[in-house]
Amino acid sequence: MSLLKSPLIGLKADSFRHPLDLEATKTLKQIPGLDMMVRNWLGPMAEQVFYVENIASSILVGEKQLPDLHKLLLDACKVLDIEPPQLYIRQHPAPNAYTFAMRGKQPFVVLHTSLVDILTPEEIQAVIAHELGHLKCDHSVYLTPVNLLVLAAGILPNVGAIVAQAIQAQLLEWVRCAEFTCDRAALLATQDPKAVMSVLMKLAGGSPTLAPQLNLDAFIDQARAYDDISKTELGEMVKSARTAQLTHPVPVLRAREIDRWASSQEYQTLLQSHGQKYTSEVAPKGGWRNW
C-alpha cells in the first residue's frame, strides 16, 4: 500500500507558511531571554528527562516494526522534501501527536495509540505530515518549551498547576498560529483536504466506535457556524477567552482554514510549480513517474 503523492522537490517552508505564523514569530522573537531559556534550562531538562523517558516507553517504527506506518512516514518525507525523523508509537488514552527536535539529537515524532486507532492510513499520514511541518519550518526552538511544559504536567508532580503561568501568552499565541502552517504541510503531503479535515473532526469527537459514523460535511457546516459567533462583540470575547490558554486552535477553525487554503490559487500554484519541476528533473523520459 502506498499513499505517495507527487514529490514537491525543493519545497521551501516560507512557500506555505501561514501569514499568522509569520506575524506571531516576529512578536515572539521580541521576548527577551526566550532562546537562552531553551538552551540553558529546557534543553538540558529535555535531554535528561523527557527525551529519554519517551524513548524508553515507546515503540520505534521501522522497516521491521510496524512497516506500514514507516512507509507512510517515508512517503510523506519524500513529498515534503525533508529527511525522515524517527517515529515512535506510544500507548496513551488521549489522542495526540507531537514533535521533539533538540540540538545534537535526531528529531522524532510521537503518535499516541489512541489517535492511530481512530484514523485511516491517509489520515495517519496527514498527522505525520503535520508533525513534519514543524521540522520543515524549524519550529523546534519555540515548540520545545511548549511541549516540555505540557508533558511536564502529566509526568512531574505539582507542575500542572503552574503550566499556564509558565508559558507566556505570546508563546501560546505563536504555537496556535504555527499549527495552521503545519496543517498546510499535511495537505501538501496528502493532497486531499478531506483527509486533513477528517483528522480534525475525529480529534474533536471521534472514538473507535464513533469515528466511522462521523459526517465531514456536517462538520464543515459546524465550522461556518463557529465563524458566525464572531459577528457579535460578546461572541468574539467568548472565543478569545476560550482559546487564550490552548496550545492548538479549536478543530473547527483549523478545518475552516485548510478548506479555504485548499481552494486558493496559492495552493494550486504551489502544487503546479513543484510538480513541473518534479516532471522535468525526476520523471523518466516520456511521462510522469508512477509512484
Side-chain angles (χ1 to χ4, degrees):
M1 177 188 63
S2 177
L3 302 176
L4 178 60
K5 308 298 181 181
S6 304
L8 303 177
I9 304 300
L11 179 68
K12 302 298 183 184
D14 285 346
S15 66
F16 65 90
R17 200 184 298 266
H18 195 284
L20 291 177
D21 184 4
L22 288 170
E23 182 179 348
T25 299
K26 292 179 182 178
T27 301
L28 198 61
K29 288 181 177 179
Q30 298 175 3
I31 299 178
L34 180 59
D35 189 60
M36 183 178 298
M37 177 183 71
V38 175
R39 289 199 312 268
N40 298 336
W41 178 52
L42 292 175
M45 182 173 65
E47 182 175 355
Q48 296 299 319
V49 181
F50 297 104
Y51 194 99
V52 175
E53 194 272 341
N54 173 73
I55 292 177
S57 305
S58 306
I59 297 295
L60 175 61
V61 173
E63 293 181 358
K64 298 181 180 180
Q65 183 71 272
L66 302 174
D68 288 346
L69 293 179
H70 186 241
K71 186 66 163 55
L72 293 177
L73 168 68
L74 296 183
D75 285 356
C77 288
K78 287 179 183 178
V79 176
L80 296 176
D81 198 14
I82 184 175
E83 287 296 316
Q86 292 181 332
L87 174 63
Y88 288 89
I89 301 296
R90 182 172 185 138
Q91 179 70 41
H92 201 286
N96 194 21
Y98 53 90
T99 303
F100 265 110
M102 300 301 300
R103 291 177 176 87
K105 297 286 187 180
Q106 182 177 3
F108 64 90
V109 173
V110 178
L111 302 182
H112 286 178
T113 52
S114 55
L115 179 60
V116 174
D117 286 343
I118 63 174
L119 302 180
T120 67
E122 190 169 26
E123 291 165 354
I124 294 172
Q125 188 172 70
V127 171
I128 292 172
H130 173 101
E131 299 304 323
L132 293 176
H134 286 305
L135 299 176
K136 184 79 176 181
C137 296
D138 197 25
H139 285 158
S140 59
V141 170
Y142 302 127
L143 190 64
T144 293
V146 173
N147 280 335
L148 288 176
L149 289 167
V150 170
L151 288 176
I155 296 174
L156 299 179
N158 302 321
V159 173
I162 64 171
V163 167
Q165 298 176 355
I167 305 178
Q168 298 188 46
Q170 295 97 323
L171 194 58
L172 285 172
E173 175 67 20
W174 170 81
V175 76
R176 288 194 295 270
C177 294
E179 293 300 313
F180 289 133
T181 294
C182 294
D183 285 343
R184 290 182 171 190
L187 176 58
L188 290 172
T190 62
Q191 296 170 26
D192 181 359
K194 288 187 176 181
V196 181
M197 291 188 287
S198 183
V199 171
L200 298 169
M201 175 181 65
K202 291 178 180 181
L203 284 173
S207 71
T209 55
L210 291 178
Q213 305 175 47
L214 295 177
N215 185 304
L216 182 58
D217 291 335
F219 182 69
I220 295 173
D221 289 340
Q222 181 180 335
R224 298 191 185 104
Y226 183 79
D227 271 348
D228 290 340
I229 299 175
S230 301
K231 295 179 180 179
T232 67
E233 182 176 351
L234 178 59
E236 185 60 35
M237 290 175 57
V238 171
K239 286 174 60 176
S240 297
R242 168 72 177 82
T243 60
Q245 292 301 318
L246 297 178
T247 58
H248 290 63
V250 292
V252 290
L253 182 58
R254 293 170 63 183
R256 185 207 66 184
E257 284 292 307
I258 209 65
D259 188 38
R260 289 178 176 176
W261 196 60
S263 60
S264 71
Q265 187 60 49
E266 178 186 358
Y267 170 67
Q268 297 299 329
T269 300
L270 188 59
L271 287 183
Q272 292 170 6
S273 62
H274 285 280
Q276 292 171 356
K277 184 174 183 179
Y278 169 67
T279 302
S280 62
E281 294 183 3
V282 183
K285 187 174 181 179
W288 195 271
R289 183 173 180 180
N290 183 11
W291 287 82

